[in-house]
Amino acid sequence: TKLNLMQLTQFKNGLDSDIKFYQESLQNLKLAQTKFQDSSDCMSQMTQKDGSEVLVPLTGSMYVPGVIKDTEKVLVDVGTGYYVEKDIKGARDYFNRKVKFVTQNMERVQAIGSEKAKIRDMVMDIMQEKLQAQFANMPAAKK
């Protein structure tokens, strides 16, 4: 290549940053996928009857007692503070679509990350060759 070692190092560092970003994105997508899958599984396990007492989460660690009014309908968090009322089948379908969507995005991110890693490996090989060539061209006295 026509790039010198300094330029190759900078390029490799940029690739390292990109790879780290894609790995973090993949982890976040995996978390989202797990949450949607868990929510879908919960819809399959809804066996409560009208009038059953449950604990309703207010925060991640605070619950209040509540009573189920209608077991045929659930509120689904669709993001940014919006909730939609759906029947159990509709909620399950929604979560399954989300799992499929996130899985497809994970596959794309993983492919891009793998491609960046291959490019980084090639850059490192070229850097190694250039370093060896520089050492080979040094006068014997300086070695």
Side-chain angles (χ1 to χ4, degrees), residues 43-126:
M43 293 298 100
S44 299
Q45 297 173 7
M46 285 284 291
T47 58
Q48 302 289 337
K49 297 179 181 170
D50 291 351
S52 297
E53 291 187 10
V54 294
L55 291 175
V56 180
L58 289 181
T59 67
S61 61
M62 186 182 343
Y63 295 82
V64 295
V67 176
I68 295 181
K69 180 180 170 188
D70 183 1
T71 56
E72 298 301 316
K73 302 214 182 279
V74 293
L75 288 178
V76 177
D77 182 352
V78 293
T80 62
Y82 288 97
Y83 293 85
V84 175
E85 186 176 283
K86 292 188 172 282
D87 62 10
I88 300 293
K89 183 183 181 314
R92 192 177 323 117
D93 290 344
Y94 170 79
F95 291 126
N96 289 336
R97 283 194 315 273
K98 287 300 227 178
V99 167
K100 183 178 178 184
F101 175 74
V102 171
T103 301
Q104 290 170 343
N105 284 331
M106 286 173 64
E107 290 167 357
R108 280 194 286 258
V109 167
Q110 196 165 19
I112 294 169
S114 294
E115 198 60 36
K116 294 272 185 182
K118 287 178 188 174
I119 293 169
R120 183 194 59 198
D121 291 344
M122 286 190 289
V123 169
M124 289 177 67
D125 290 343
I126 293 168

Side-chain angles (χ1 to χ4, degrees), residues 12 25 55:
K12 182 190 112 20
S25 296
L55 291 175

